[in-house]
Amino acid sequence: MQRNRFYLITSDILAFLTAFAFGGFVFWEIRQSENLFKHIYSWASIYLVVVPIGICWFYFRGHYTRRRPFWDEMHGISQVLPALAIIEGALIFLTKSTSFSRIWFAASFSSLLIVLPLFRYYVKTLLLRLGKWQLPTVIIGAGENAFDVMAALKSEKYMGIDVRLFLSLDESGLTDYLGIPVMKIPADVKAVLKKYKASCVILALDSNTERTRKTLLEKLHEYTQDLYLVPSMRGVPLYGMEIHHFFRHEVIMMRINNNLLRPIVRTLSLIHI
């Protein structure tokens, strides 16, 4: 895990430097008459201040430690990069740099949206081939919800979730699912996790198991490094929902965004018709 973190951080640093070089190339192609070296020193000094800020920001938001689906990771990147661009613009303004280039600035940060995920993709691909990115995982549940989770994880192979076992609350009659063994959950879950070297547990029980789920969560939380809860929400359109939390209450409220009520979307749909 520590080495994987190091590789991802290194890939991000290289991505920032590559984007900077690309910005310089674009600037040179457009403004060939101007002296490139007049800009590069002051521009690089400011840029190299922003890079550690970006790396620390990604680190504390869990980009190097947590496994995320691709579009969640892209959403996180798209939130951080504009903020870094604002910070860099503020530094340029405060230092009153006269060698600031809008072309270089725009080309660098625009290319980062492509270069950063691309470098991460190549690093994860290499780590997967070397067997270093896989995260041994046990799914607790052997119903529709658990199998839906399995299908979702198979579609996101770059998360590296390696499901090794399903634990069923009762005798389901299944001995395996897609080649992965299914067994009744034992009294000593910790021993099973140790046997399968699982540092990640996904609790994906079906509905009407609230009491059991609460007991398992309390027990698993004591010795599980990565613990995920997937409640049964079959049939509910989850994409694009806004999640609201209530302080001191165990309640989550989700708001469904109805884009069809927006005037622009309605106008476009009428034009399309």
Side-chain angles (χ1 to χ4, degrees), residues 99-112:
S99 57
F100 167 67
S101 167
R102 294 184 184 88
I103 296 170
W104 203 329
F105 179 85
S108 297
F109 278 96
S110 298
S111 62
L112 265 175

Side-chain angles (χ1 to χ4, degrees), residues 147-173:
F147 299 150
D148 284 346
V149 171
M150 183 64 192
L153 293 174
K154 284 179 72 69
S155 69
E156 292 281 353
K157 69 173 184 176
Y158 291 102
M159 287 179 69
I161 303 293
D162 180 21
V163 178
R164 299 187 173 182
L165 178 69
F166 288 95
L167 291 177
S168 176
L169 293 183
D170 48 28
E171 296 290 348
S172 61

Side-chain angles (χ1 to χ4, degrees), residues 211-226:
R211 193 170 295 178
T212 307
R213 184 170 58 201
K214 183 180 178 182
T215 305
L216 281 170
L217 276 173
E218 291 172 353
K219 186 186 295 184
L220 291 166
H221 196 265
E222 296 175 3
Y223 49 78
T224 306
Q225 184 178 349
D226 290 315

Side-chain angles (χ1 to χ4, degrees), residues 21-51:
F22 175 77
F25 173 76
V26 172
F27 172 78
W28 173 252
E29 286 293 315
I30 296 173
R31 301 280 183 87
Q32 290 186 6
S33 60
E34 293 192 26
N35 184 5
L36 180 66
F37 295 100
K38 183 182 76 173
H39 295 268
I40 194 168
Y41 292 114
S42 59
W43 183 229
S45 60
I46 294 172
Y47 190 81
L48 292 176
V49 170
V50 173
V51 171

Side-chain angles (χ1 to χ4, degrees), residues 36-208:
L36 180 66
F37 295 100
K38 183 182 76 173
H39 295 268
I40 194 168
Y41 292 114
S42 59
W43 183 229
S45 60
I46 294 172
Y47 190 81
L48 292 176
V49 170
V50 173
V51 171
I53 295 173
I55 296 299
C56 290
W57 201 330
F58 283 130
Y59 181 85
F60 288 114
R61 294 191 70 155
H63 281 246
Y64 308 126
T65 54
R66 300 174 196 164
R67 306 300 175 97
R68 302 168 185 258
F70 174 76
W71 289 111
D72 281 1
E73 189 167 2
M74 282 298 299
H75 179 68
I77 291 172
S78 65
Q79 285 182 320
V80 173
L81 291 185
L84 292 177
I86 292 170
I87 292 170
E88 182 155 348
L91 289 172
I92 291 167
F93 175 77
L94 291 172
T95 56
K96 298 180 180 179
S97 175
T98 57
S99 57
F100 167 67
S101 167
R102 294 184 184 88
I103 296 170
W104 203 329
F105 179 85
S108 297
F109 278 96
S110 298
S111 62
L112 265 175
L113 281 170
I114 299 172
V115 175
L116 199 67
L118 192 63
F119 275 43
R120 290 186 185 183
Y121 163 79
Y122 284 126
V123 168
K124 290 175 184 177
T125 300
L126 180 61
L127 290 173
L128 278 171
R129 289 180 180 177
L130 295 173
K132 303 295 184 182
W133 185 243
Q134 287 81 352
L135 182 66
T137 302
V138 167
I139 295 180
I140 297 182
E144 287 187 353
N145 193 33
F147 299 150
D148 284 346
V149 171
M150 183 64 192
L153 293 174
K154 284 179 72 69
S155 69
E156 292 281 353
K157 69 173 184 176
Y158 291 102
M159 287 179 69
I161 303 293
D162 180 21
V163 178
R164 299 187 173 182
L165 178 69
F166 288 95
L167 291 177
S168 176
L169 293 183
D170 48 28
E171 296 290 348
S172 61
L174 287 174
T175 56
D176 72 278
Y177 178 75
L178 298 177
I180 300 168
V182 179
M183 62 178 286
K184 189 177 185 301
I185 189 167
D188 189 1
V189 180
K190 187 177 181 180
V192 174
L193 298 181
K194 188 175 181 181
K195 177 184 175 183
Y196 284 87
K197 300 178 181 179
S199 57
C200 175
V201 176
I202 299 174
L203 193 58
L205 301 175
D206 289 324
S207 55
N208 303 321

